Amino acid sequence: MNKLFSVSDVNLSYGDKHVLKDINIDLYKNKVTAFIGPSGCGKSTFLRCFNRMNDLIDSCKIDGTILMENKDIYNKKYDVVDLRTNVGMVFQKPNPFMMSIYENVAYGLKCSGIKDKKVLKQRVINALKQAALYDEVSTRLNDSALSLSGGQQQRLCIARAIAMKPEVILMDEPTSALDPIATAKIEELIEELKKDFTIIIVTHSMHQASRISDYTAFFLNGEIVEYDITKNIFQNPKDIRCENYITGRFG
Amino acid sequence: MRKIKDYILNAITYIASGISVLILGVLLVYLLVNGVKSINLKMFSDDYWAKNYLVEVDSDSRNFDSKYNGDDYYIKKYDIAIKDDDKEIVVTYIGENSQFNELKSLTVGDSLGMITPFDVGYKIESIEYLDSNGVISIGGVLLKHNAIEVAQILNENHVNSIYYQSTSGGIKASIINTLILIFVSLLIATPISICSAIYLNEYNSKNKFNQLLSVSIETLAGVPSIIYGLVGITVLFPVTQLFGATTTSVLLGALTMAVILLPTMIKATQVALAQVDQGLKDASLSLGATKVQTINKVVLPGAMNGILSGLLLCVSKVIGESAALVYTMGTFISDTPSLTNQGTSLSLMIYSIMSNDNPNFELACAISLIILVIVLVLNISVKLINYKFNKLGQR
Ligand SMILES: Nc1ncnc2c1ncn2[C@@H]1O[C@H](COP(=O)(O)OP(=O)(O)OP(=O)(O)O)[C@@H](O)[C@H]1O
Ligand SMILES: [Mg+2]
């Protein structure tokens, strides 16, 4: 199995608040890894470390190393823009830009300097197809993205991310704002995407984690308590805190 | 107990807002009563100062199929009508083919022989004509002739020359000056404000210098505008000299106005920028867009409504400003608007009219009414823009 990320001794704090404590973990290529744990334990914070979105927060301090294919992504020489092109992100709340559906998907491509209209169009269409949205929007690519339903908007955000052909897609509770049917569609989609991308997903739904992920990491108070193949975590968790959380006894 | 307290608080709110509405209403009624009579469409195209013309008129008889059916004194020979108006003789009708549409100037100089403007409302001062004995005579207001007599003279005698006066009290030049003022001051203030606001909001790491900057901007917003006027005339006057201004000028007023607008505009832009959803900025950055791209493509378009309403607020600020402009634009009402000459905006014009030897109160009220209506419309547009913006944001 191929290691994609190798995280060692990561500590992160917002001002005086120590949020991630001595994190050590390896994440694998073309697998779905789920981060679970009670609210406020640092899952989102850790997820945002992989595309350095925490850089935007002034008070945030991070040490330790995160290697992506043996390169330290926090090295000064590592270009953040390159990193973010390579590591896409889907957020909890669907956040399409106030532009047309087409422009939303083309946004990242245009920013990265692709100008050729044909290439753009092809990549937009491919991304929409890959995100299982194309059939629903093919006739109205020029309509405002805000005219889509919540579930469609979220798939648009996924399309927008995969249009960049990243290696990794980070998803922070991508279905928590959606109804069960839209959720099922996204879960199906993740199943598909797994072939081409490495996916790291934060979720509060135990069912979701057990259904779609290959690996699961259980977080508690900024530490990784248990990390294993999903089946092991859900069938015989080693740590009692993990077991309690999964069975719904706390959190 | 709590109910009573709520009741009292509610009552206070109602009374307070009632009073504001009342004040606005009284103001409107007052201006309407005093000013509405002097508002007419012509004042928007007229000059402020009356002009005098000495002209000759073609006396050959023409055939008119006149449509005139009013009660004033009709002059068949020229197809015009006149009437008495407070010791003046005023033109009330000019036929389509009247000779008076092609009066030729007799004033020595460049305009000699040129066709002069002649319009309803103009006043006929005097006429030089050959009387029935072939002697040159003078008729008109100077000789206490009234409209009947003047009509008779015009109808029956060969006219050598006519001396007349155009209407006055128009606000055309002041309107144009106000527009120039708005355009130039916003042209300067807007880009500077947007850049500063972007710097302060998006690049501002919270260091001492930037905090000082923010505090200074807020302080500047509270400085009375008359002080800007004083500073403008000493600091900005040399700048306008480069453009050829020799006195205070519309340009100097616009530059000063731009400075006055800066704090307001920066603040408005900052608020607009802050309202842009952080989620959209994150999304843009997470797609590998640079900060500059994110600002250009996501932040600025998202803040556009707020910036636009800031602009409209600035426009009404320019229209309403007078103190700072007294020093920088002068108070001389000029009929030839130009960047590098003195001139008045609408508000300044009120000041100017009212500080004349014989203040024209009705005209001042009419202009006030116009200003009030414009400001009202601008404020309502701001409200509408914000309303639409908020509705969009909720989706
Ligand atoms: N920008 C920030 N500044 C300061 N503290 C923050 C910031 N973002 C998060 N925190 C704190 O860091 C801790 C971890 O937050 P994080 O969002 O990573 O939790 P989470 O596990 O994703 O929770 P949830 O499941 O509710 O999303 C929380 O205590 C939170 O208050
Ligand atoms: Mg979270």
Side-chain angles (χ1 to χ4, degrees):
Chain A
M1 248 177 333
N2 277 328
K3 258 196 277 182
L4 181 62
F5 285 109
S6 176
V7 179
S8 40
D9 301 324
V10 163
N11 279 280
L12 185 148
S13 45
Y14 294 115
D16 302 334
K17 197 163 173 189
H18 197 177
V19 176
L20 295 178
K21 299 163 192 162
D22 294 321
I23 304 279
N24 287 286
I25 190 173
D26 289 337
L27 301 174
Y28 301 103
K29 234 182 196 164
N30 288 60
K31 299 285 175 206
V32 178
T33 305
F35 292 168
I36 60 170
S39 196
C41 64
K43 307 178 295 292
S44 298
T45 302
F46 186 47
L47 193 72
R48 290 160 64 94
C49 289
F50 292 103
N51 63 348
R52 290 181 57 179
M53 286 302 273
N54 288 325
D55 289 12
L56 305 174
I57 298 163
D58 286 332
S59 65
C60 176
K61 291 245 152 39
I62 175 166
D63 354 275
T65 49
I66 300 181
L67 301 181
M68 180 177 179
E69 298 186 314
N70 296 320
K71 281 195 206 116
D72 185 357
I73 61 172
Y74 278 85
N75 191 308
K76 284 207 182 76
K77 284 183 203 139
Y78 205 110
D79 186 3
V80 192
V81 170
D82 283 348
L83 175 70
R84 291 184 187 149
T85 333
N86 216 0
V87 181
M89 187 162 201
V90 176
F91 298 81
Q92 180 169 3
K93 204 172 131 231
N95 52 2
F97 303 123
M98 285 188 214
M99 306 171 185
S100 70
I101 295 170
Y102 181 90
E103 288 298 326
N104 260 281
V105 184
Y107 181 87
L109 301 171
K110 283 188 177 169
C111 284
S112 71
I114 298 177
K115 291 209 177 73
D116 188 331
K117 289 236 166 76
K118 267 192 204 147
V119 176
L120 276 176
K121 180 142 202 198
Q122 202 48 54
R123 285 187 65 172
V124 168
I125 290 176
N126 284 347
L128 284 170
K129 280 182 179 158
Q130 238 181 327
L133 188 61
Y134 187 68
D135 294 338
E136 288 158 67
V137 300
S138 60
T139 55
R140 49 180 184 135
L141 289 178
N142 291 320
D143 287 9
S144 166
L146 300 176
S147 68
L148 297 173
S149 75
Q152 288 173 326
Q153 287 187 9
Q154 194 62 304
R155 274 179 285 148
L156 182 69
C157 293
I158 295 176
R160 187 170 71 180
I162 59 188
M164 303 301 292
K165 298 195 178 150
E167 212 163 327
V168 188
I169 305 175
L170 309 173
M171 299 186 172
D172 193 352
E173 301 182 41
T175 60
S176 66
L178 305 180
D179 66 65
I181 295 173
T183 300
K185 273 201 178 141
I186 299 236
E187 287 181 6
E188 234 172 82
L189 177 61
I190 292 173
E191 207 68 44
E192 274 305 304
L193 294 176
K194 192 160 102 172
K195 294 176 201 140
D196 303 311
F197 306 96
T198 304
I199 294 172
I200 309 175
I201 182 169
V202 172
T203 178
H204 274 284
S205 152
M206 295 307 109
H207 287 291
Q208 189 168 65
S210 64
R211 269 198 304 268
I212 62 174
S213 70
D214 305 303
Y215 288 83
T216 298
F218 172 65
F219 284 71
L220 191 62
N221 296 331
E223 289 175 77
I224 295 183
V225 173
E226 195 164 343
Y227 174 50
D228 206 336
I229 296 173
T230 300
K231 214 166 74 188
N232 293 350
I233 292 255
F234 281 91
Q235 284 172 5
N236 52 19
K238 297 193 187 69
D239 196 293
I240 179 75
R241 293 169 294 178
C242 185
E243 184 180 341
N244 285 345
Y245 181 74
I246 288 164
T247 51
R249 250 167 275 169
F250 85 91
Chain B
M1 202 48 213
R2 250 181 73 189
K3 249 190 176 166
I4 296 176
K5 223 168 142 188
D6 279 357
Y7 188 75
I8 293 175
L9 283 178
N10 266 338
I12 291 176
T13 319
Y14 283 132
I15 291 172
S17 41
I19 288 175
S20 345
V21 172
L22 197 73
I23 291 176
L24 185 65
V26 167
L27 196 65
L28 258 175
V29 168
Y30 177 79
L31 290 179
L32 272 173
V33 166
N34 288 295
V36 84
K37 267 178 286 164
S38 11
I39 289 192
N40 51 52
L41 276 179
K42 274 195 66 187
M43 75 188 293
F44 293 99
S45 57
D46 272 352
D47 284 341
Y48 178 69
W49 302 104
K51 279 208 190 83
N52 295 309
Y53 297 94
L54 180 66
V55 295
E56 63 179 345
V57 62
D58 177 10
S59 296
D60 298 342
S61 56
R62 296 184 183 182
N63 281 325
F64 308 105
D65 41 346
S66 178
K67 289 161 209 125
Y68 185 71
N69 56 3
D71 295 333
D72 301 328
Y73 304 107
Y74 179 63
I75 300 155
K76 210 171 120 200
K77 189 170 165 193
Y78 298 112
D79 195 21
I80 64 173
I82 56 178
K83 70 166 185 192
D84 288 307
D85 182 14
D86 192 23
K87 290 183 197 151
E88 312 260 20
I89 293 168
V90 176
V91 179
T92 57
Y93 165 81
I94 306 167
E96 214 172 299
N97 298 316
S98 168
Q99 293 93 326
F100 273 69
N101 288 323
E102 39 209 72
L103 297 170
K104 290 212 183 74
S105 174
L106 286 175
T107 311
V108 183
D110 290 345
S111 62
L112 184 67
M114 304 274 252
I115 293 188
T116 58
F118 191 78
D119 210 344
V120 169
Y122 284 20
K123 293 165 192 158
I124 292 179
E125 304 280 324
S126 66
I127 301 163
E128 192 191 285
Y129 65 100
L130 296 177
D131 69 10
S132 44
N133 305 322
V135 179
I136 294 178
S137 309
I138 304 255
V141 211
L142 284 176
L143 299 172
K144 304 234 161 62
H145 286 152
N146 56 23
I148 316 180
E149 289 161 305
V150 169
Q152 203 174 7
I153 292 171
L154 282 171
N155 254 334
E156 293 169 5
N157 298 284
H158 176 84
V159 173
N160 286 342
S161 72
I162 299 175
Y163 189 65
Y164 70 89
Q165 193 178 50
S166 66
T167 42
S168 59
I171 59 172
K172 180 176 86 181
S174 294
I175 289 181
I176 296 177
N177 274 330
T178 310
L179 291 178
I180 296 178
L181 199 62
I182 292 171
F183 182 75
V184 176
S185 56
L186 285 184
L187 193 70
I188 298 168
T190 313
I192 299 179
S193 316
I194 292 182
C195 291
S196 329
I198 287 177
Y199 172 75
L200 287 171
N201 269 39
E202 308 293 325
Y203 288 89
N204 180 3
S205 41
K206 283 188 187 96
N207 59 29
K208 283 255 163 59
F209 174 71
N210 283 327
Q211 271 166 347
L212 188 72
L213 217 59
S214 293
V215 172
S216 330
I217 290 171
E218 252 149 64
T219 315
L220 282 181
V223 174
S225 58
I226 198 157
I227 296 177
Y228 286 102
L230 289 174
V231 175
I233 198 157
T234 47
V235 179
L236 294 174
F237 179 60
V239 179
T240 62
Q241 275 179 315
L242 298 179
F243 291 89
T246 50
T247 56
T248 57
S249 63
V250 178
L251 180 63
L252 184 57
L255 292 183
T256 311
M257 217 48 235
V259 177
I260 295 176
L261 293 182
L262 277 178
T264 320
M265 194 60 207
I266 291 177
K267 199 83 211 138
T269 314
Q270 275 189 294
V271 171
L273 291 176
Q275 274 177 357
V276 175
D277 189 359
Q278 181 65 37
L280 292 180
K281 297 190 219 172
D282 284 353
S284 169
L285 292 169
S286 80
L287 287 166
T290 60
K291 192 155 188 168
V292 175
Q293 286 170 330
T294 303
I295 289 170
N296 282 337
K297 296 184 172 193
V298 173
V299 180
L300 277 181
M304 211 28 96
N305 285 295
I307 295 176
L308 206 65
S309 58
L311 272 181
L312 291 185
L313 277 181
C314 285
V315 171
S316 53
K317 217 171 156 152
V318 176
I319 295 176
E321 182 58 57
S322 54
L325 296 179
V326 169
Y327 295 115
T328 50
M329 275 172 68
T331 54
F332 174 69
I333 304 173
S334 154
D335 278 325
T336 47
S338 128
L339 258 185
T340 48
N341 285 332
Q342 291 199 328
T344 51
S345 69
L346 285 173
S347 311
L348 266 192
M349 190 171 175
I350 298 178
Y351 174 86
S352 200
I353 294 170
M354 291 309 285
S355 44
N356 261 354
D357 289 340
N358 44 351
N360 185 343
F361 189 66
E362 280 75 29
L363 183 57
C365 283
I367 300 174
S368 310
L369 198 60
I370 294 168
I371 293 178
L372 203 69
V373 169
I374 298 176
V375 171
L376 215 62
V377 169
L378 284 173
N379 279 341
I380 292 173
S381 325
V382 170
K383 286 267 140 47
L384 281 180
I385 290 175
N386 285 343
Y387 174 72
K388 273 205 173 140
F389 179 65
N390 287 341
K391 246 177 43 177
L392 254 178
Q394 276 163 11
R395 273 207 279 175

